[in-house]
Amino acid sequence: QSRTGAPTMTTRWGASETDWLHFDVVLGLGEHLLPVVSNPNAKISPGIKMKTLAKTPSRYNREGFVVGLPAWTSLHSTTADIERWMTVPDYGIALQTRQVRAIDIDIDDPTLCGVLHRFIESQGYKLPVRSRSNSGKRLLLFDLPGDYAKRSLKVEGGLLEVLMTGQQAIVSGHHPSGVRYEWLGGLPTSIPSL
């Protein structure tokens, strides 16, 4: 363990420093970024409600346990926050979907997921796509200012969700299954407005 109590790392489970800088500087999303502990070997602090790692904004406490970020939906991250978080190899990136939103195609079957993805693209929307190698699930990003509530729709094989104000999506790091998230065609260079 390190002097802070957090596990020492031989694998970078979280986002690379390049990923942090890309989402902060290139895409201009710094204030909307939060850390998420992506290391599947990390230990959740006893007595807190969090049940799963790598899914919600979280960090290590002084004892080296994972804790959630209180009131994260109202946090606006600073450059100093990001510079601190990017040095922790276990911290992936959670994006608050309060301006950049996400269409979450939560369908394991790659064929069924592909049907919905192709339908979205057939409407004229070519959106950045985050995926992972062990699932058909995909996450598509788009920019939409305003205050909107989450939308969910049951579909064949799973769920289609549009993540809006008060939600978040993981954009870099490892999924709890142990595989890294990937961006089709590389990290997005822009996020289309709808």
Side-chain angles (χ1 to χ4, degrees), residues 102-194:
I103 299 171
D104 187 7
I105 307 175
D106 199 3
I107 301 172
D108 273 322
D109 183 293
T111 302
L112 293 175
C113 185
V115 169
L116 274 174
H117 186 192
R118 284 189 300 280
F119 173 77
I120 291 166
E121 287 191 339
S122 76
Q123 304 306 301
Y125 303 124
K126 181 71 174 154
L127 306 176
V129 179
R130 189 216 69 202
S131 64
R132 55 189 165 92
S133 63
N134 64 352
S135 174
K137 297 180 181 184
R138 298 175 195 169
L139 184 89
L140 293 72
L141 297 182
F142 65 98
D143 189 288
L144 178 66
D147 191 21
Y148 299 96
K150 175 181 172 180
R151 304 281 201 274
S152 297
L153 178 66
K154 288 184 182 180
V155 294
E156 183 179 352
L159 192 63
L160 177 70
E161 296 181 301
V162 183
L163 305 178
M164 297 286 197
T165 308
Q167 310 300 136
Q168 56 83 30
I170 308 303
V171 295
S172 184
H174 273 77
H175 183 265
S177 66
V179 301
R180 281 196 83 76
Y181 290 111
E182 303 168 351
W183 287 92
L184 301 183
L187 291 172
T189 55
S190 64
I191 299 174
S193 296
L194 301 187

Side-chain angles (χ1 to χ4, degrees), residues 32-87:
H32 308 292
L33 305 180
L34 296 171
V36 56
V37 177
S38 298
N39 185 339
N41 305 310
K43 303 293 183 211
I44 296 172
S45 183
I48 67 169
K49 293 180 183 178
M50 182 184 295
K51 301 293 180 217
T52 307
L53 294 167
K55 287 288 194 179
T56 56
S58 53
R59 63 173 179 80
Y60 285 117
N61 65 14
R62 290 182 184 165
E63 291 77 38
F65 290 107
V66 179
V67 294
L69 292 178
W72 62 263
T73 57
S74 62
L75 291 178
H76 291 264
S77 302
T78 65
T79 299
D81 291 330
I82 291 169
E83 287 173 353
R84 187 174 64 253
W85 296 331
M86 73 170 41
T87 65

